[in-house]
Amino acid sequence: MIALARSDRVKDFMQRNERMKGLARRFVAGGDAEAAITVACHRLAEGIRTSFFYLGEYVDRPELVRENVEQKLHIARLLETQEMDVHISVDPTQIGLQTDRSEVAARALAIGRAIMTASAGKPGLHCLMLDMEDASVVDFTLALHDELRRLELPGAITLQAYLRRSEGDLARLIASGAKVRLVKGAFVGKRDIAFTNEVEIKANYRRLVGMMLAPEARASGFYPIIATHDDRIQAEAVALAREQGWPQGSYEFEMLLGVRSDVAQGLARQGERVRLYVPFGRDWWPYAVRRIGENPANGILLARSLFSAKAKQPAIP
Ligand code: FDA
């Protein structure tokens, strides 16, 4: 699926395919920031918050890097007039890690400042959330996060349970009172650096959730973001949070738009703080195909979308 996601030929073909656009609508809010804000307003009515993500990863053309940065700044400006969290996700490879590495920090800082301006005086968890990409960029991403925080900009970071190093990274981030989103990881790594089977990854995820909800984490002002669709792990986290004295709203769950929406709504109804990762933009294929690959049932949807005689209403230009 990652190979399919990275093939330009496949991407060009799929992004022109009306049936695929129909399928992607489930996972992608639309082609522009306005469409993403509309989706976010609907979710907010259900008590669910949003993390906005302008699509386009592993970008190796300067003009696309410029577009990505402009889109992140654009949505931050639009959020100035919205009563919602200004929470924007950014991949370092979107903003120049593969084109001009030395400019990435300046771009991230500009987005961080735009988030600060847009969120001034508003309650909520406002942040530039750094997504975590493959293992080769973890050090860079951690350093970028440290720099944002050093400058007192609202930075947060994603850690991946599939990586063995995440336990050490998390311990350091907990001690510094950071905001960390924990995911299992959408990549595979060699055994020396990574857990390579589902059982080990899940066990490590649980171990890391335990660290995130420990009393020391609460004492340091750490903010845990538990990003999984695994309802068993979510239920364990809720129980642990109660046991350790974390009030609802002092931690949160994050899930992806279009994935197990019933579970997200159920958590929100229980009073848990829930956020949806809401992607938007025209470069949607690499993202959508990864979501499709995460569940065999989605494979059936993919086949139906490709072969069904009736094209669905496209939402993505
Ligand atoms: P897991 O795969 O264990 O599944 C749990 C349950 O959810 C199963 O029943 C499964 O069928 C269902 N499910 C999971 N995905 C589904 C789908 N697409 N469609 C339908 N059902 C599905 N990764 C990364 O490497 N770097 C990052 O920065 C991020 N960022 C990120 C943000 C957020 C908010 C989330 C939720 C996830 C990420 N990820 C990520 C992706 C993450 O690493 C992981 O690949 C997916 O979340 C799948 O793992 P889970 O723990 O959610 O569920």
Side-chain angles (χ1 to χ4, degrees):
M1 284 294 175
I2 287 175
L4 266 184
R6 289 197 186 162
S7 161
D8 282 340
R9 281 181 58 197
V10 174
K11 183 171 84 175
D12 288 347
F13 173 76
M14 291 301 188
Q15 290 185 172
R16 282 198 304 267
N17 183 303
E18 294 301 316
R19 287 170 194 152
M20 284 311 303
K21 287 179 186 174
L23 177 57
R25 269 176 84 191
R26 176 172 156 199
F27 302 110
V28 178
D32 55 30
E34 287 76 1
I37 290 177
T38 301
V39 167
C41 288
H42 287 134
R43 296 288 88 86
L44 200 56
E46 297 170 341
I48 294 177
R49 293 151 197 249
T50 292
S51 176
F52 294 95
F53 179 69
Y54 183 71
L55 290 160
E57 309 149 44
Y58 290 94
V59 173
D60 55 8
R61 283 166 35 207
E63 67 276 19
L64 293 180
V65 169
R66 273 197 301 280
E67 176 186 318
N68 286 337
V69 176
E70 187 39 52
Q71 286 292 332
K72 309 276 183 197
L73 294 170
H74 175 58
I75 194 156
R77 284 191 292 267
L78 290 181
L79 289 170
E80 282 179 23
T81 53
Q82 299 287 334
E83 283 310 309
M84 60 173 75
D85 277 12
V86 189
H87 188 126
I88 298 176
S89 286
V90 175
D91 289 5
T93 67
Q94 289 192 299
I95 58 169
L97 192 56
Q98 294 186 318
T99 53
D100 43 359
R101 177 178 276 251
S102 60
E103 297 302 315
V104 173
R107 293 174 185 140
L109 298 184
I111 298 167
R113 286 192 192 100
I115 289 172
M116 234 172 144
T117 306
S119 62
K122 288 186 200 168
L125 175 87
H126 309 290
C127 70
L128 186 171
M129 169 60 77
L130 288 166
D131 290 338
M132 194 57 86
E133 302 172 272
D134 68 89
S136 70
V137 305
V138 174
D139 281 325
F140 182 93
T141 309
L142 283 163
L144 188 55
H145 171 255
D146 289 348
E147 182 61 3
L148 280 163
R149 292 193 69 215
R150 190 182 68 78
L151 295 171
E152 298 184 2
L153 290 169
I157 192 163
T158 308
L159 291 182
Q160 300 152 317
Y162 90 105
L163 286 180
R164 293 177 191 273
R165 63 173 289 169
S166 291
E167 184 171 347
D169 293 333
L170 181 60
R172 181 178 72 80
L173 289 162
I174 285 174
S176 73
K179 296 183 183 75
V180 173
R181 174 210 270 160
L182 181 65
V183 300
K184 287 185 185 149
F187 299 85
V188 282
K190 297 218 175 88
R191 275 208 71 78
D192 56 335
I193 61 157
F195 298 106
T196 53
N197 70 61
E198 224 178 281
V199 173
E200 287 176 334
I201 295 170
K202 242 185 206 189
N204 198 41
Y205 195 96
R206 288 190 159 98
R207 186 159 46 241
L208 301 181
V209 169
M211 289 170 66
M212 290 168 90
L213 292 171
E216 307 80 68
R218 208 150 76 84
S220 74
F222 179 77
Y223 188 84
I225 304 173
I226 298 155
T228 179
H229 307 98
D230 190 323
D231 51 335
R232 217 180 261 185
I233 292 182
Q234 291 168 342
E236 289 164 13
V238 168
L240 186 60
R242 288 298 83 75
E243 197 181 302
Q244 303 288 5
W246 291 75
Q248 286 182 323
S250 62
Y251 59 94
E252 70 181 45
F253 293 97
E254 191 170 343
M255 297 171 68
L256 305 176
L257 179 69
V259 179
R260 306 197 82 187
S261 311
D262 53 331
V263 174
Q265 287 157 352
L267 282 168
R269 276 196 300 271
Q270 286 167 39
E272 297 296 339
R273 184 176 287 181
V274 181
R275 187 177 302 278
L276 284 188
Y277 185 85
V278 172
F280 65 98
R282 51 191 178 80
D283 198 16
W284 49 266
W285 168 253
Y287 176 86
V289 76
R290 282 207 308 279
R291 297 297 74 83
I292 290 163
E294 277 162 0
N295 189 326
N298 293 341
I300 297 166
L301 276 180
L302 173 66
R304 273 204 204 127
S305 294
L306 278 172
F307 299 116
S308 106
K310 205 167 128 224
K312 298 202 178 85
Q313 185 73 26
I316 301 161

